[in-house]
Amino acid sequence: MEHSVKQQFEDYIKLIEQKLDEFLPVKYPEEIWESMRYSVLAGGKRLRPMLCLETCRVLSGSYEQAIPTACAIEMLHTQSLIHDDLPCMDNDDYRRGKLTNHKKFSESTAVLAGDALLSFAPQIIIQKTPKTVSQDKILKVLEEFLVNAGAEKLIAGQIVDIDSEGKQIDKQTLNFIHENKTAALFKLSLRTGAILGGADEQIIEALTLFAEKLGLAFQIMDDILDVTSTLEELGKTPGKDALEEKATYVSLYGLDEAKKQVASLCSTACGILKKYDIESDVLTGVVESILERVC
Ligand code: GRG
């Protein structure tokens, strides 16, 4: 990745970490706030909030109006990770290179930390978005947030994923899982960034398509890295998909074909940006970073 793009990534990450810290105080009873902060501030690539901020910036020239939404999306993403790691779901001991929330605290605290993040996040959108942003935009952003967080998207993907464990599933089901589990949060990031950046319907739709391609490429990359990487590189336990007999893009298509799919999705994603004259080194940089990690 080019030095200046890397620098832009680092600047965004610094800003996001600072704002997450600021938006998440420690109140009484401290244990719940400490456990929310533990997982949210545990690191992570901050990809989704970065996509939200950059989309808003590229369309309107500034990203300030999207900071609370970007942080809320990272809180939602963290909630999904905390709950996904629980013994009743994926049962993981490590996340973001640290002990998972239930290992560090307790199972009940981890359930509550996820629940608390899920309701605290939209609160941040309402309370912290600058007053210059119209109520109409805030309402649209909240709708996007709530739809993607719930039974129509994230939870739909998660329950079909859980029900599919140990079973032979077809490619359509695998796509359903990941369009809802993974691509939904990318779509949420791009769409809310576009709404706050004042984009028209055509651009919102183009960015939605970009996010779909990016989200699937990201998931296939995650499946590939699960078989090719170490715990240190991943920050979580590798090889779990095969251990749990999970159908993945690698198990269904093979490693080479999965890599080809990532390359094809990334090329389509960049083509969409080009077609609509959306010039962003950060958006193309995210696509390239996926390609670099697998191909
Ligand atoms: C509602 C419990 C619940 C789950 C919804 C999103 C989800 C479904 C579960 C999270 C676990 C998971 C493996 C999701 C697939 C997407 C994915 C690869 C997430 C990891 O994202 P990264 O790599 O993580 O961006 P960091 O730590 O860098 O933020």
Side-chain angles (χ1 to χ4, degrees):
M1 196 188 301
E2 215 181 289
H3 175 72
S4 72
V5 185
K6 220 173 168 181
Q7 189 59 52
Q8 289 180 66
F9 272 46
E10 279 167 19
D11 291 347
Y12 270 135
I13 291 171
K14 206 169 148 201
L15 171 78
I16 292 159
E17 308 249 315
Q18 195 188 319
K19 288 291 172 181
L20 284 169
D21 185 23
E22 181 189 318
F23 290 153
L24 267 169
V26 180
K27 298 188 191 190
Y28 177 81
E30 287 84 4
E31 184 174 355
I32 187 66
W33 295 96
E34 296 285 13
S35 73
M36 290 155 78
R37 284 176 59 84
Y38 173 78
S39 292
V40 171
L41 302 175
K45 295 179 283 298
R46 312 302 191 196
L47 212 50
R48 297 154 190 83
M50 199 190 310
L51 288 167
C52 176
L53 293 175
E54 174 64 8
T55 304
C56 184
R57 189 206 64 79
V58 81
L59 297 168
S60 70
S62 74
Y63 55 65
E64 271 75 15
Q65 64 271 39
I67 291 174
T69 299
C71 289
I73 294 172
E74 187 66 13
M75 289 180 197
L76 167 62
H77 168 56
T78 307
Q79 173 268 325
S80 75
L81 300 178
I82 296 172
H83 282 181
D84 188 66
D85 290 336
L86 285 168
C88 63
M89 298 221 193
D90 242 13
N91 194 18
D92 270 301
D93 292 349
Y94 293 96
R95 172 68 67 181
R96 294 177 160 171
K98 297 172 83 172
L99 283 176
T100 42
N101 196 293
H102 64 275
K103 283 276 166 190
K104 174 80 182 172
F105 296 87
S106 66
E107 224 176 296
S108 51
T109 301
V111 170
L112 293 172
D115 289 346
L117 282 170
L118 194 56
S119 62
F120 193 63
Q123 213 175 302
I124 289 294
I125 298 177
I126 296 168
Q127 292 170 350
K128 304 287 181 183
T129 300
K131 298 284 172 260
T132 45
V133 176
S134 71
Q135 300 271 307
D136 182 47
K137 277 186 185 169
I138 296 179
L139 207 57
K140 280 189 181 142
V141 165
L142 282 173
E143 186 185 5
E144 293 285 335
F145 184 96
L146 295 168
V147 167
N148 281 288
E152 288 177 48
K153 295 284 171 183
L154 271 194
I155 292 174
Q158 181 75 348
I159 198 148
V160 175
D161 191 17
I162 291 171
D163 286 348
S164 303
E165 251 171 57
K167 289 185 195 152
Q168 291 272 335
I169 59 166
D170 57 20
K171 294 172 179 174
Q172 216 181 344
T173 310
L174 187 68
N175 276 336
F176 177 88
I177 293 171
H178 297 305
E179 273 160 20
N180 289 286
K181 264 185 75 166
T182 311
L185 283 190
F186 284 82
K187 275 201 226 175
L188 173 65
S189 307
L190 271 289
R191 286 177 66 85
T192 52
I195 291 166
L196 292 163
D200 62 28
E201 217 32 66
Q202 195 194 28
I203 295 293
I204 295 179
E205 285 316 310
L207 288 168
T208 304
L209 203 60
F210 169 83
E212 258 169 41
K213 306 293 171 198
L214 184 69
L216 274 187
F218 184 84
Q219 180 60 51
I220 303 174
M221 173 198 81
D222 197 69
D223 288 355
I224 293 173
L225 295 179
D226 188 69
V227 292
T228 61
S229 293
T230 62
L231 171 67
E232 290 69 34
E233 285 164 330
L234 284 185
K236 58 181 181 180
T237 321
K240 283 211 69 184
D241 294 338
L243 207 68
E244 280 166 9
E245 296 175 11
K246 265 196 171 182
T248 69
Y249 286 95
V250 177
S251 71
L252 249 66
Y253 293 90
L255 197 55
D256 283 348
E257 178 55 30
K259 285 184 182 180
K260 278 187 199 149
Q261 284 185 17
V262 173
S264 160
L265 286 162
C266 287
S267 148
T268 310
C270 286
I272 296 167
L273 296 183
K274 221 176 197 161
K275 182 173 171 197
Y276 290 91
D277 281 328
I278 301 166
E279 275 183 45
S280 160
D281 290 346
V282 171
L283 294 185
T284 46
V286 171
V287 179
E288 277 161 18
S289 71
I290 293 176
L291 265 178
E292 270 169 28
R293 287 191 77 186
V294 293
C295 297

